[in-house]
Amino acid sequence: MAPVTREECAKRDAEDPLAGFRGEFRLPEGVVYLDGNSLGALPAAVPDRVADLVEREWGQGLVSSWNDAGWWDKPRILGALLAPLLGAAADEVVVGDGVSANIFKLLVAGLRLNPGRTVLLGEDGNFPTDLYVTQGAAEITGATERRAPARPDTLEEALSGGDVAVLLLSHVDYRTGELRDMAAITELAHRHGALVVWDLCHSAGAVPVDLDGCGADFAVGCTYKYLNAGPGAPGFVYAARRHQPHVRQPLSGWHGHARPFAFEADYQPADGASRLLSGSQPLVADAALEASLELFSRADMAQVRAKSLALSELFISIAAPGGTGPDGLRLVTPADPERRGSQVSLAHPQGYPIVQALIARGVIGDFRAPDVLRFGFTPLYLGYTEVFDAATALVEVVETGEWRDPRFSRRSQVT
């Protein structure tokens, strides 16, 4: 098959049904941004929305804005806006707290929902937060933490002992970009009596998710990656309706109380997913998320997914056709598009300086130890021509040895 040309990519950009969204983001000139799987770009509407909250709702409305501006209900309002992207009902999702806190809540809640079972099962190589929080939850509750590779055969073996209370898995592997079969794994866990908490940090906003359709129990995720809500943006939590009346989470703050303004001495959980809330939420950050979710309310997720796969396929066809590229560059992400999230990961022993050399050229990806180069594809603001240029730049950096410049090997604290 003849290699694609830049002219063909320009034609695809002109015909792209999502092309109009590009103008609704602020991106620096001369930059191809392939790190939206780490931090999303700035939606153009965010500065005005945040300024309005600060200057009018807070500056003029003061404390009255808890009611008049709907601050108190923001976790539910934003959850309802987010729910369609997750395949969930509006009352099954709330926005608030961070991913780590929400994972802890659900692991402990899952242990309480599954009495007699004492194992928290995680996956080898999962994102460190998931592993660390699982360790902490096990220490506090007296449960046992175990890990297994996230493959059906190894998960089946790990679940077969009948002692696993909760399985925590990432829907998309943060290093490889592999997309897991949510429906099949959830069914497998349920068959062995375990509940599942899905981490959607690398799915939400980029990959269609169907929590209700897959029979999922619980899920968590962040909003600063593909959902573009900005650094430190709040997380979200999903609880299937069938579990809501029985969920008892350990961070039982007053925002999760059934009658918060009665100021009762004892805790009584609220109805629905609201019982998974704890304390006051970051309203300024919520304003940024609200502006971004308004964009998603106008986007067709089927088109987003189709473009995501097309962009990643284009990148692979140039950088690693057939699974390999120059100088041993190797495709790590599954070649099968049905098993791919919205990123492409490649491996190379000199991955770090290669990524730094690309950044110097204005192509921003990232690196994950020990040898993985990650490139995220965010269809609302990324075009085919940009991806062509980025993949071509990667090939040139590797083929010419440009990465050997000593300045590209110097490590910063955040890499």
Side-chain angles (χ1 to χ4, degrees):
M1 185 169 61
V4 68
T5 66
R6 196 174 192 277
E7 290 71 24
E8 290 170 333
C9 291
K11 184 174 184 294
R12 296 181 78 175
D13 281 332
E15 297 170 349
D16 178 13
L18 298 175
F21 285 99
R22 173 59 181 258
E24 301 196 50
F25 289 87
R26 292 188 181 178
L27 288 159
E29 280 295 322
V31 167
V32 179
Y33 192 59
L34 301 182
D35 208 6
N37 54 324
S38 187
L39 177 67
L42 172 66
V46 164
D48 287 345
R49 177 67 191 92
V50 170
D52 183 62
L53 183 141
V54 171
E55 295 170 3
R56 182 179 62 83
E57 294 180 9
W58 177 18
Q60 300 299 316
L62 298 170
V63 73
S64 297
S65 286
W66 280 104
N67 292 312
D68 297 344
W71 287 356
W72 182 265
D73 285 324
K74 281 299 177 186
R76 288 162 289 279
I77 292 169
L78 295 175
L81 291 174
L82 181 55
L85 301 180
L86 308 178
D91 62 347
E92 292 179 310
V93 183
V94 287
V95 169
D97 300 320
V99 175
S100 299
N102 287 332
I103 290 175
F104 179 78
K105 294 175 192 177
L106 292 181
L107 290 177
V108 175
L111 284 166
R112 290 171 170 174
L113 281 170
N114 232 342
R117 290 172 174 251
T118 59
V119 173
L120 297 174
L121 178 62
E123 62 178 283
D124 286 333
N126 200 358
F127 191 78
T129 275
D130 299 54
L131 302 177
Y132 303 159
V133 174
T134 303
Q135 288 176 336
E139 289 173 7
I140 288 173
T141 61
T144 300
E145 184 217 7
R146 289 186 196 153
R147 300 175 190 174
R151 301 193 310 269
D153 58 337
T154 53
L155 290 176
E156 174 108 46
E157 181 180 357
L159 290 162
S160 62
D163 54 358
V164 176
V166 185
L167 169 63
L168 171 62
L169 287 180
S170 287
H171 189 212
V172 173
D173 185 287
Y174 85 102
R175 276 201 180 99
T176 69
E178 179 183 3
L179 175 66
R180 275 67 184 264
D181 189 332
M182 180 181 287
I185 293 176
T186 299
E187 190 278 329
L188 171 65
H190 288 174
R191 193 176 348 122
H192 289 282
L195 300 167
V196 186
V197 176
W198 285 101
D199 182 336
L200 305 180
C201 285
H202 287 84
S203 313
V207 175
V209 179
D210 188 10
L211 290 169
D212 285 347
C214 291
D217 300 298
F218 303 103
V220 299
C222 64
T223 62
Y224 51 80
K225 298 183 189 293
Y226 294 110
L227 292 172
N228 312 302
F236 64 83
V237 60
Y238 158 91
R241 279 178 180 165
R242 66 184 182 279
H243 292 310
Q244 290 174 4
H246 315 291
V247 169
R248 293 295 297 243
Q249 59 108 338
L251 303 180
S252 45
W254 79 304
H255 278 242
H257 196 282
R259 296 170 297 278
F261 294 100
F263 302 106
E264 298 169 355
D266 296 315
Y267 183 73
Q268 177 65 39
D271 292 333
S274 290
R275 64 179 52 204
L276 290 165
L277 297 171
S278 296
S280 298
Q281 301 306 319
L283 274 303
V284 177
D286 282 352
L289 174 59
E290 193 164 28
S292 182
L293 289 178
E294 194 279 328
L295 289 177
F296 279 96
S297 72
R298 295 186 275 114
D300 182 327
M301 281 304 294
Q303 292 178 344
V304 170
R305 176 61 170 164
K307 184 179 177 184
S308 164
L309 292 177
L311 291 172
S312 60
E313 196 67 33
L314 170 63
F315 189 88
I316 292 169
S317 72
I318 298 170
T324 58
D327 191 32
L329 194 67
R330 176 174 55 87
L331 181 66
V332 175
T333 302
D336 179 0
E338 297 303 313
R339 297 180 54 223
R340 191 187 309 152
S342 200
Q343 74 181 55
V344 171
S345 294
L346 301 157
H348 191 282
Q350 299 299 327
Y352 180 81
I354 290 171
V355 168
Q356 296 307 306
L358 281 171
I359 292 172
R361 283 179 170 229
V363 177
I364 301 179
D366 73 8
F367 171 78
R368 290 293 179 263
D371 61 356
V372 175
L373 303 81
R374 299 194 316 168
F375 303 96
F377 299 91
T378 46
L380 293 189
Y381 56 77
L382 192 61
Y384 293 94
T385 306
E386 291 175 300
V387 170
F388 179 93
D389 291 344
T392 302
L394 172 58
V395 170
E396 291 174 356
V397 163
V398 176
E399 285 184 336
T400 63
E402 185 177 324
W403 57 267
R404 297 179 188 277
D405 187 316
R407 64 195 169 108
F408 297 137
S409 295
R410 299 190 193 106
R411 301 276 181 142
S412 61
Q413 183 178 5
V414 179
T415 58

